[in-house]
Amino acid sequence: MIIIKNNKEIEKMRKVGKFAAQLLDYIEPFVKEGVTTLYLNDLCEEFTQKHGAISAPLHYNGFPKSICTSINNVVCHGIPSKNDILKDGDIINIDVTVILDGFHGDTSRTFMIGTVDDNVKNLVRRTKKAMYKGINAVKPGKYLYEVGKAIEKYISKFGYSIVREYGGHGIGREFHEEPQVFHHFTLSNKMPLREGMTFTIEPMINMGSSYLVKTSKKDGWTVTTADGSPSAQFEHTILVTADGAEILTKI
Ligand code: MF3
Ligand code: CO
Ligand code: CO
């Protein structure tokens, strides 16, 4: 069941969305060569608590930390660690989800460390653009699959691949609600968009030609590309409005 949010709930989604964006803005200057992902995690946790919010990932289905930090060939759900030190040329996606007044805001960006290979830079830039292609395809009355269709149309010309195993999701009182949002075209997303829906658009784009991924047997979380190629991701939480989409996770 897809939950349509009323005005009061939408106000709360706006508030938490804005806070999630503030959290990413706060952490950005610390995302530099030489720091550990655990340090970034701890700063985020501290900032979140200081503002009376809750880190949703912490203990979610047993996830052990407050944010996800996914470096290079890690697609998503990377676990912050004292052993992961950012180095020149890395890309890292930082995915934050916070709870304020019972509602969730979920957003991520991929950051570049020092001098990044031009091909990888392009991957990051185009992944961000792909997310906006998806957002701009949202309109009440249209089918949800227009999101994946727009992303696929844009991304296919680069020889990259769109991860299929993980997607966007409805969001509100729950971290993950219906619908599941695919970032490629599929008829399983043939449901009409309606004003008041809130969901994320968060394409994961692999630089290689394979969309296949694998999950670490060691920690049960870390998702990497099957072919070892780099992967980038950007995420916003959006609201379906009368004439399009409102990005909730921005300031
Ligand atoms: N924030 C991720 C998403 O965009 C989900 C992370 S689940 C966790 O849906 F358990 F790994 F935190
Ligand atoms: Co999400
Ligand atoms: Co997220």
Side-chain angles (χ1 to χ4, degrees):
M1 193 200 45
I2 299 176
I3 300 164
I4 301 294
K5 274 75 179 179
N6 64 33
N7 287 339
K8 234 174 112 180
E9 293 166 330
I10 288 168
E11 256 330 296
K12 292 181 179 183
M13 288 295 289
R14 284 196 178 106
K15 226 173 119 192
V16 69
K18 195 168 164 179
F19 178 67
Q22 279 167 347
L23 176 56
L24 279 185
D25 282 354
Y26 160 75
I27 203 63
E28 178 164 18
F30 296 101
V31 186
K32 291 275 144 22
E33 183 179 354
V35 307
T36 69
T37 52
L38 184 63
Y39 176 63
L40 300 174
N41 176 86
D42 294 352
L43 286 174
C44 284
E45 179 58 40
E46 185 188 55
F47 185 88
T48 300
Q49 283 185 20
K50 205 174 85 190
H51 291 84
I54 298 165
S55 301
L58 188 60
H59 306 140
Y60 178 80
N61 292 149
F63 190 79
K65 296 290 174 193
S66 304
I67 61 173
C68 295
T69 48
S70 303
I71 302 171
N72 298 334
N73 62 318
V74 178
V75 172
C76 62
H77 302 169
I79 302 173
S81 160
K82 66 175 179 7
N83 300 320
D84 286 337
I85 305 166
L86 296 180
K87 58 181 197 307
D88 186 59
D90 280 347
I91 58 170
I92 177 177
N93 175 275
I94 298 188
D95 191 340
V96 302
T97 311
V98 286
I99 310 169
L100 257 183
D101 208 1
F103 284 83
H104 291 73
D106 188 4
T107 183
S108 84
R109 299 176 199 154
T110 297
F111 300 99
M112 297 189 262
I113 309 301
T115 313
V116 172
D117 178 274
D118 278 342
N119 295 318
V120 179
K121 254 190 208 163
N122 282 336
L123 171 74
V124 173
R125 184 173 54 80
R126 290 163 175 164
T127 301
K128 185 175 185 176
K129 192 160 172 188
M131 175 188 66
Y132 285 110
K133 294 275 183 191
I135 293 171
N136 291 332
V138 171
K139 220 182 162 77
K142 282 195 185 175
Y143 290 122
L144 176 58
Y145 65 50
E146 293 296 341
V147 170
K149 202 168 135 187
I151 292 172
E152 188 169 316
K153 182 176 176 225
Y154 172 67
I155 279 299
S156 62
K157 54 177 172 274
F158 305 116
Y160 302 155
S161 42
I162 303 166
V163 171
R164 294 174 176 230
E165 203 167 318
Y166 297 89
H169 49 90
I171 182 168
R173 286 191 191 278
E174 299 294 330
F175 194 158
H176 294 103
E177 299 180 353
E178 282 184 46
Q180 199 181 343
V181 179
F182 290 97
H183 299 112
H184 64 287
F185 173 70
T186 167
L187 287 172
S188 55
N189 268 171
K190 195 178 170 185
M191 60 262 278
L193 293 166
R194 274 185 59 194
E195 196 177 339
M197 285 180 183
T198 50
F199 55 86
T200 70
I201 296 178
E202 49 178 304
M204 284 145 270
I205 307 295
N206 299 347
M207 199 158 94
S209 56
S210 170
Y211 59 74
L212 296 177
V213 299
K214 53 188 183 190
T215 305
S216 162
K217 289 197 183 77
K218 240 167 124 182
D219 65 32
W221 280 102
T222 308
V223 178
T224 53
T225 54
D227 62 8
S229 73
S231 186
Q233 181 180 26
F234 285 83
E235 173 175 26
H236 270 312
T237 298
I238 67 107
L239 163 73
V240 181
T241 62
D243 55 1
E246 175 181 329
I247 297 173
L248 298 174
T249 39
K250 70 170 200 204
I251 296 173

